[in-house]
Amino acid sequence: MTTPAVARLSSAVREEPVACDGLHAEYDEDSYRLAIPEAGVERETLTESEFETLAADHERYVQNWAYWNEDRADADEAFLRWLEAADETAIPDRYESLRAGTARSWGELRIEVRLVDGKRRYEIRHTDDAGRTDLDRHDEPLDARSLVTEDDDGRYRPLKTAPSLPHGWVFPDLTGRACVETVEYVYPATVANWYLERQGELDVDHWEATIGRQSGIYGVVQTWNRGDSYEHVNWVAEACCADSQCVKRREWEYDDETELDVPGGDGAFPCREPCSLVIAAARKWTRLEGEQEQRYEFTLTPSEKEQVEEIIDAVADGRAAEIREADTADPANRYRARYLRAKRFDEDDNLSGTPTETSE
Amino acid sequence: MQALVVVAHGSHLNPDSSTPTYRHADTVRETGVFDEVATAFWKEEPSFREVLRTLESETVYVVPLFISEGYFTEQVIPRELRLESFDVEQWDSDGTSASSTTLEASDVDKTIHYCGPAGTHDAMTDVIVRRAESVTDNGDVGDGFGLAVVGHGTERNENSAKAIRYHADRIRDSGRFDEVRDLYMDEEPEVDDVSDHFETDDVVVVPLFVADGYHTQEDIPEDMGLTDDYRTGWETPAEVDSTRIWYAGAVGTEPLMADVLLERARDAGADVGSAVEQVRRDTRAGAD
Ligand code: SF4
């Protein structure tokens, strides 16, 4: 019996030779050739009906070709193939895992591809939500845009790749095209840049070049090029681009020749230049770093000094809101902080009574 | 294939800043006349820098959802999109007349039609009027009404006031409203004393802003005396110095804005079929 995919193959092969994932087919002067080496198939001079019968015996190869023969952008195709490890896994094993469902992560997304009635369907959810059955179902890729605007606590997410993706939703049944579209609403431009990187064509703009381009109110960041600016940029990258803050893998460095000391992270997709959030933060730091250091004297007990450090850590790690009300063992606990303030701040909110301006 | 890219400012702090941009892009997308419709932002993602590479289309119409010509349309957007041969002279604009110029972007193999901002297109005049209809819930509003078009003023950009004046003049010339004034936040004539500028008992106030935010939801309502504290809201209409003020909020939130994006692209050569008429019809209040 000739399935539609097989009929498509024989008509396609009359136009030009087909080669896809171990399937090779050719047509020349009324005769067909079909080769699937890993299945031990190697036949020439086949009639159309012999060709179609043989192809139908290896239907998975034909279906696989039919899917990858659909019209789509190069980057989308590479991404969808990557999802099922198409370049590394031969058809029998691949179809085996597709039938069970095979998943990859992309930032905080878990993307699963599986075969349903012989067709690839894609499912997207938060990686943390793997296995959950109580998720809100969505079918429109566009829904993703508003789903990811706020985090679980309802706070606006200005950086789409911050690891604060909200939970509780699932796109259970997407086509390949809709899958890529959904991913792009969650993490814009990541597929395009990932693809360029795979092609060895990612156009990275390092810190120096990106800053050099700025104008208007951001032009001020250019003045941040004193001798120690390399150090500053390390701190910026550590503050903003660490995996705990952003799921992109930072590929930009100080400049063409000077790498930063902090690692770029393990993200699946690259960051090709400092983002607008980092530029805006750098503008603030540029101003702050223009100040001269001064020596202050504070009086604290050893525990209080450690407490100050713990409070900074808790804020920097986004842990402050999680500290339990009555957990006074935690130095960053609210009551502990309020006690410290009551004890060590004077009426002008100066720590241990030491004024900020020491010039009087 | 042809794509429309709507480029806008966006915000790191205010999630509502990008809402109108998304909404109008969605309206255009639904007409189906573009193979792709994308948005890009200065402060959000995708950035201007990376939007073009996400498109398959070889022909791209870029329309800035900005109110006036100036720093963003002339410097930031062309630079960030890598329209390296852009020169503001190509627009040959008097400050409100930029239409479009055709360029290449250095990181993609596409033809980019870079259009003037939505805010200075003639169709924007209709959006202001439509906004007045929406806020008064009266499709024929005009008779007995004054209309104030409100902008920032020249402090940061002289073209910003030009755009306000341009539309105010056009609406005045149409004769639809009894009186039309352009008013400003930081220069004379000031929006603070709105009732001083009008004889009519009813005045519709339309701020020429892309999105609602600090200026349109806090500053202007308090300056005009609609409320002492923006957090408590205000009446529409609100009575100030015995004038009824119908405050419309940012004009950019009016659904008809989508039409301006379409017309900008059409003027630059995009094939938009009958989408302009369709959007004009479907965005009317109460349309199905
Ligand atoms: S610059 Fe840093 S924070 Fe911004 S997107 Fe890149 S890696 Fe993430």
Side-chain angles (χ1 to χ4, degrees):
Chain A
M1 209 200 79
T2 307
T3 64
V6 169
R8 268 215 301 287
L9 177 66
S10 53
S11 93
V13 86
R14 284 196 292 275
E15 299 297 319
E16 57 177 351
V18 163
C20 176
D21 293 345
L23 169 84
H24 305 268
E26 275 169 48
Y27 173 79
D28 190 29
E29 293 181 7
D30 282 346
S31 97
Y32 293 79
R33 179 177 102 83
L34 182 66
I36 307 172
E38 65 202 25
V41 174
E42 174 70 72
R43 298 279 304 275
E44 296 188 19
T45 61
L46 297 165
T47 65
E48 180 167 333
S49 79
E50 286 167 344
F51 174 82
E52 291 190 346
T53 308
L54 186 57
D57 288 345
H58 298 87
E59 174 92 46
R60 287 181 307 189
Y61 286 88
V62 180
Q63 275 180 358
N64 181 66
W65 161 81
Y67 182 68
W68 295 118
N69 192 42
E70 287 169 17
D71 219 15
R72 57 173 82 80
D74 293 348
D76 296 5
E77 172 129 337
F79 177 72
L80 294 173
R81 287 180 62 81
W82 174 81
L83 285 179
E84 59 180 69
D87 294 339
E88 298 103 67
T89 329
I91 291 294
D93 287 348
R94 181 138 49 100
Y95 267 61
E96 199 67 23
S97 57
L98 281 175
R99 212 160 296 148
T102 174
R104 287 247 200 196
S105 35
W106 187 258
E108 288 188 284
L109 294 178
R110 177 187 190 275
I111 310 174
E112 182 180 290
V113 48
R114 77 196 113 76
L115 284 178
V116 178
D117 301 330
K119 293 209 164 55
R120 284 167 175 76
R121 306 300 294 181
Y122 297 82
E123 185 215 74
I124 303 181
R125 57 172 78 196
H126 195 299
T127 40
D128 297 347
D129 287 342
R132 272 179 67 177
T133 53
D134 57 340
L135 303 172
D136 290 337
R137 176 188 174 123
H138 295 269
D139 295 300
E140 279 300 319
L142 189 58
D143 289 0
R145 190 177 66 200
S146 46
L147 278 176
V148 305
T149 305
E150 294 175 349
D151 66 15
D152 282 328
D153 298 325
R155 282 180 313 188
Y156 175 49
R157 301 173 66 236
L159 182 67
K160 292 241 168 47
T161 45
S164 56
L165 198 66
H167 298 80
W169 46 267
V170 63
F171 291 81
D173 189 28
L174 299 166
T175 62
R177 186 181 183 84
C179 168
V180 179
E181 231 181 287
T182 308
V183 168
E184 282 285 292
Y185 279 123
V186 178
Y187 296 134
T190 54
V191 172
N193 284 325
W194 167 87
Y195 178 67
L196 286 173
E197 184 180 50
R198 274 167 76 99
Q199 301 294 103
E201 290 169 7
L202 185 67
D203 48 341
V204 175
D205 287 347
H206 297 293
W207 174 269
E208 271 279 310
T210 306
I211 293 307
R213 218 174 64 222
Q214 304 303 314
S215 56
I217 57 169
Y218 296 102
V220 61
V221 183
Q222 290 171 29
T223 63
W224 205 7
N225 260 341
R226 292 174 280 268
D228 46 5
S229 87
Y230 169 78
E231 267 297 275
H232 291 150
V233 181
N234 266 314
W235 293 328
V236 171
E238 182 174 337
C240 304
C241 307
D243 283 349
S244 66
Q245 305 300 306
C246 176
V247 298
K248 279 188 186 172
R249 168 171 31 85
R250 180 181 54 75
E251 286 297 320
W252 55 266
E253 303 287 350
Y254 182 72
D255 63 21
D256 272 353
E257 281 145 26
T258 326
E259 292 202 355
L260 296 174
D261 298 334
V262 287
D266 299 321
F269 40 83
C271 170
R272 46 163 299 286
E273 70 174 44
C275 66
S276 73
L277 210 72
V278 161
I279 299 292
R283 173 172 179 249
K284 185 74 191 170
W285 283 314
T286 304
R287 291 169 182 273
L288 297 175
E289 291 287 6
E291 294 178 8
Q292 292 302 313
E293 290 186 355
Q294 306 195 32
R295 190 170 275 281
Y296 290 103
E297 222 167 86
F298 300 110
T299 306
L300 299 170
T301 66
S303 295
E304 285 168 352
K305 173 183 173 286
E306 283 179 8
Q307 189 186 353
V308 170
E309 292 157 357
E310 286 283 345
I311 289 171
I312 293 173
D313 273 343
V315 172
D317 297 335
R319 200 172 64 81
E322 291 159 25
I323 299 167
R324 285 167 299 170
E325 186 105 1
D327 188 4
T328 49
D330 193 319
N333 168 271
R334 194 172 78 237
Y335 293 129
R336 290 277 304 273
R338 292 178 63 84
Y339 184 91
L340 183 69
R341 181 171 71 178
K343 175 179 173 187
R344 292 297 184 187
F345 282 19
D346 67 10
E347 59 276 13
D348 298 322
D349 284 346
N350 284 311
L351 179 58
S352 78
T354 310
T356 303
E357 302 299 337
T358 54
S359 49
E360 76 266 28
Chain B
M1 289 175 80
Q2 59 172 9
L4 174 71
V5 179
V6 186
V7 293
H9 193 282
S11 165
H12 291 150
L13 299 171
N14 172 15
D16 298 330
S17 166
S18 49
T19 310
T21 310
Y22 287 145
R23 193 157 330 123
H24 307 319
D26 293 348
T27 303
V28 175
R29 190 177 298 114
E30 280 158 21
T31 68
V33 294
F34 288 94
D35 300 289
E36 297 168 284
V37 176
T39 51
F41 301 93
W42 174 230
K43 295 283 185 168
E44 298 178 33
E45 297 148 274
S47 63
F48 299 160
R49 213 68 191 141
E50 298 185 351
V51 68
L52 296 177
R53 62 189 59 198
T54 67
L55 304 168
E56 279 180 69
S57 305
E58 56 289 340
T59 306
V60 181
Y61 297 87
V62 175
V63 180
L65 188 47
F66 283 80
I67 287 304
S68 54
E69 293 174 28
Y71 175 58
F72 277 97
T73 60
E74 292 168 4
Q75 292 184 48
V76 175
I77 297 167
R79 178 188 80 212
E80 298 289 298
L81 289 175
R82 301 176 179 79
L83 306 177
E84 265 138 41
S85 58
F86 176 80
D87 181 336
V88 67
E89 298 299 321
Q90 292 160 352
W91 266 345
D92 188 23
S93 171
D94 62 11
T96 57
S97 65
S99 53
S100 76
T101 171
T102 303
L103 301 150
E104 274 168 15
S106 61
D107 63 327
V108 289
D109 195 10
K110 299 177 190 300
T111 303
I112 314 295
H113 299 280
Y114 179 45
C115 303
T120 56
H121 194 275
D122 280 357
M124 192 69 196
T125 307
D126 303 338
V127 184
I128 297 170
V129 173
R130 180 73 75 83
R131 190 85 200 129
E133 294 174 7
S134 302
V135 70
T136 55
D137 196 17
N138 175 359
D140 301 312
V141 64
D143 222 12
F145 273 75
L147 175 73
V149 186
V150 180
H152 250 300
T154 47
E155 195 183 283
R156 284 189 298 184
N157 168 8
E158 69 165 316
N159 284 338
S160 135
K162 274 192 197 164
I164 311 286
R165 260 194 310 272
Y166 181 74
H167 294 297
D169 289 348
R170 280 170 50 87
I171 298 170
R172 188 178 306 110
D173 292 347
S174 76
R176 173 164 174 168
F177 290 86
D178 288 8
E179 296 170 82
V180 179
R181 300 270 177 276
D182 48 311
L183 303 178
Y184 302 91
M185 293 179 60
D186 44 14
E187 69 184 52
E188 294 287 330
E190 287 206 21
V191 67
D192 300 30
D193 334 299
V194 60
S195 49
D196 294 357
H197 302 290
F198 289 89
E199 306 275 308
T200 51
D201 292 337
D202 288 277
V203 177
V204 182
V205 177
V206 181
L208 206 60
F209 285 79
V210 166
D212 274 321
Y214 170 71
H215 291 305
T216 63
Q217 293 301 305
E218 304 179 23
D219 238 11
I220 300 178
E222 288 185 6
D223 284 355
M224 284 195 307
L226 297 182
T227 174
D228 293 334
D229 181 350
Y230 73 91
R231 282 165 299 199
T232 59
W234 53 87
E235 301 279 310
T236 307
E239 183 120 354
V240 179
D241 302 334
S242 52
T243 303
R244 271 188 303 278
I245 308 282
W246 304 74
Y247 181 62
V251 70
T253 60
E254 182 63 33
L256 183 61
M257 263 320 279
D259 166 63
V260 185
L261 305 176
L262 271 168
E263 292 201 37
R264 270 283 182 226
R266 181 178 70 180
D267 296 350
D271 177 3
V272 304
S274 58
V276 166
E277 295 70 30
Q278 185 194 328
V279 166
R280 282 186 163 254
R281 191 181 59 236
D282 294 351
T283 54
R284 205 168 264 292
D288 294 331

